[in-house]
Amino acid sequence: MENFFWHNPTAVIFGKDTVKELAGHLKAANVKGVLLVYGGKGTFKSGAYDQVTDMLKKAGIAFSELNDVKPNPLIDKVREGISRVKAGGIDAIMPIGGGSAFDSAKAIAAGACYSGDVWDFFVGKAKITKAMPIYGVLTASASSSEVNNIGVVTNPESELKTSITSEFIYPKVSVIDPSFQITLPEKQTIYGGVDIIAHILERVLDGDEGSDLMDAQGYALIRTMMRVIPELIEDPKNYDLRAEYALAGSLAHSGILSVGRKIRGDFSSHRMGHSISFMYGTPHGATLSIILIAWARYLYEENPVPFARLGEEVFDIFDGTDEDKALEAIDALEDFFKDINTPTTLREIGVKEEDIEKLAANASRGESFGKLSKLEPEDVLEIFKLAY
């Protein structure tokens, strides 16, 4: 196990009817006005909007609204939010939603404290040195954005979907009320669940050989998600299942699974998936169920051990060589994705064969990346071909 420093400053309020507890935190911070950042109908259908605005009115806290935040959130909406903040009267940003709302809020919080264009942070032209406080209400688990320091935004002009990371954009407080997720569409529950599983896989499959303790936590979370997702498809209003799903979602990408790791995770699949979301608008989780399988099939012969361990710990596969167990584990993971009706090939989401080279080029950007194995642009192209 490697030396590490880990600090997660986000306070989590978890459970039913907990939005009202935000008022005390806002008053303690002397917040007088907030910018609500949210998407569309789901925010109202879940009941979250009414509970948040009722809490703010009773607390005497003013609010303005930035709505219509899209999945795979866009930089122009972030810029609009920044302009609203700089106009005055706003002391904090309050996302209501899932990763898109939280990611947008983080970019707004940082951009509002910067004199240049917020996209500078995403392309390394500037470093975040300050951000407005964020107090969020989660309505869709997937990204762990409610408890981490990462924000992902798309810029169509740059043809890039990428992220910022900074200690300054951790939410101060996040409310996680699993009952808000009861009204989620089935597909969103499935795709969010795949994203959660992917965040864990990208750690336990990173090739780190000194992280048995954290790997064991990861395997347990994967087994939980593989049990909970099918059960939620059958029983979507089950609060206890929603609570397990939500807590697993927050743990998966909070940073806790990376402590003591030498490698700290291989997020190649996320990077390649972002290119699909950018070009086709595909839900993030759907891109991951496709790319994870192709990535694994491309690399397992060279790196059988982490895939074999996945087979042993998650799928009870013990017979054969490491290569045999690895391949059987990948097959089992693909079967699970098929069972929950999430795509495993690019054809299923309408990708055109002639776009594969452009997808690969967008993902690689002419550079190598990856931790389990370093992927050159030609490797990325082969993975996209496998995914087709």
Side-chain angles (χ1 to χ4, degrees):
M1 183 178 291
E2 300 294 313
N3 294 354
F4 66 88
F5 172 82
W6 183 67
H7 173 62
N8 189 317
T10 300
V12 172
I13 305 173
F14 191 101
K16 294 179 183 178
D17 303 318
T18 49
V19 165
K20 56 183 177 287
E21 297 180 28
L22 262 182
H25 293 271
L26 294 167
K27 289 181 178 179
N30 199 32
V31 172
K32 303 295 185 183
V34 301
L35 176 67
L36 303 182
V37 178
Y38 61 92
K41 295 178 181 178
T43 310
F44 299 94
K45 187 177 180 181
S46 68
Y49 178 87
D50 288 341
Q51 288 192 35
V52 169
T53 54
D54 183 62
M55 176 272 297
L56 292 171
K57 290 172 184 176
K58 288 179 178 177
I61 298 171
F63 60 90
S64 59
E65 303 180 31
L66 181 74
N67 59 13
D68 200 30
V69 172
K70 303 294 186 184
N72 303 312
L74 300 175
I75 191 65
D76 282 350
K77 181 62 71 170
V78 168
R79 290 172 176 144
E80 181 183 343
I82 292 168
S83 296
R84 299 274 288 277
V85 174
K86 288 185 174 181
I90 294 169
D91 305 310
I93 315 298
M94 185 171 288
I96 311 172
S100 296
F102 274 83
D103 288 359
S104 298
K106 290 173 179 180
I108 293 167
C113 299
Y114 177 59
S115 60
D117 181 34
V118 66
W119 190 247
D120 290 348
F121 297 135
F122 290 86
V123 294
K125 289 184 179 179
K127 184 177 180 180
I128 298 170
T129 58
K130 184 180 180 182
M132 297 186 69
I134 300 165
Y135 298 82
V137 177
L138 185 71
T139 66
S141 294
S143 70
S144 301
S145 192
E146 70 277 6
V147 291
N148 68 29
N149 62 340
I150 304 166
V152 181
V153 171
T154 296
N155 186 336
E157 294 177 4
S158 300
E159 296 190 343
L160 193 60
K161 179 179 179 181
T162 190
S163 63
I164 50 173
T165 303
S166 170
E167 62 181 299
F168 296 102
I169 59 174
Y170 278 105
K172 298 292 184 184
V173 182
S174 285
V175 170
I176 304 174
D177 182 342
S179 63
F180 290 148
Q181 303 192 36
I182 285 173
T183 56
L184 287 176
E186 182 178 291
K187 280 295 185 185
Q188 194 166 351
T189 296
I190 293 169
Y191 293 152
V194 172
D195 194 11
I196 293 167
I197 290 172
H199 288 145
I200 306 163
L201 287 173
E202 285 164 325
R203 288 174 170 88
V204 301
L205 297 176
D206 67 2
D208 195 317
E209 297 179 355
S211 303
D212 289 352
L213 174 61
M214 301 321 298
D215 282 353
Q217 313 309 308
Y219 298 135
L221 286 171
I222 293 170
R223 290 193 299 268
T224 294
M225 290 305 299
M226 292 183 69
R227 170 179 56 83
V228 166
I229 296 170
E231 290 181 355
L232 277 173
I233 292 171
E234 297 298 321
D235 188 11
K237 296 183 179 181
N238 187 308
Y239 174 84
D240 289 329
L241 291 174
R242 291 287 179 187
E244 286 192 87
Y245 180 110
L247 183 54
S250 293
L251 291 171
H253 202 27
S254 65
I256 187 63
L257 295 181
S258 290
V259 300
R261 307 186 79 86
K262 182 178 181 180
I263 300 174
R264 303 184 70 80
D266 183 322
F267 294 90
S268 302
S269 295
H270 258 75
R271 179 164 172 166
M272 288 183 277
H274 286 334
S275 293
I276 304 170
S277 290
F278 165 70
M279 286 186 61
Y280 281 86
T282 309
H284 182 49
T287 71
L288 291 170
S289 58
I290 296 166
I291 291 298
L292 273 167
I293 298 300
W295 172 82
R297 293 196 186 284
Y298 188 74
L299 294 181
Y300 86 91
E301 290 182 303
E302 182 182 345
N303 307 275
V305 173
F307 298 101
R309 288 196 62 197
L310 177 71
E312 293 168 349
E313 300 291 341
V314 174
F315 297 107
D316 296 325
I317 298 167
F318 301 105
D319 295 332
T321 65
D322 283 341
E323 289 81 359
D324 294 335
K325 289 183 285 187
L327 181 56
E328 192 173 346
I330 297 166
D331 289 341
L333 182 63
E334 183 174 16
D335 287 343
F336 171 74
F337 287 152
K338 289 178 178 178
D339 286 344
I340 61 172
N341 199 27
T342 185
T344 57
T345 67
L346 293 171
R347 293 188 304 278
E348 293 174 70
I349 59 170
V351 170
K352 301 173 183 177
E353 190 170 6
E354 57 265 32
D355 284 344
I356 288 177
E357 288 191 10
K358 186 175 180 181
L359 282 167
N362 184 272
S364 63
R365 301 166 219 157
E367 59 191 29
S368 61
F369 59 92
K371 296 293 177 66
L372 179 61
S373 283
K374 190 68 70 176
L375 301 177
E376 301 295 337
E378 55 267 28
D379 297 309
V380 176
L381 178 57
E382 290 305 313
I383 289 171
F384 273 102
K385 288 179 179 179
L386 269 179
Y388 191 76

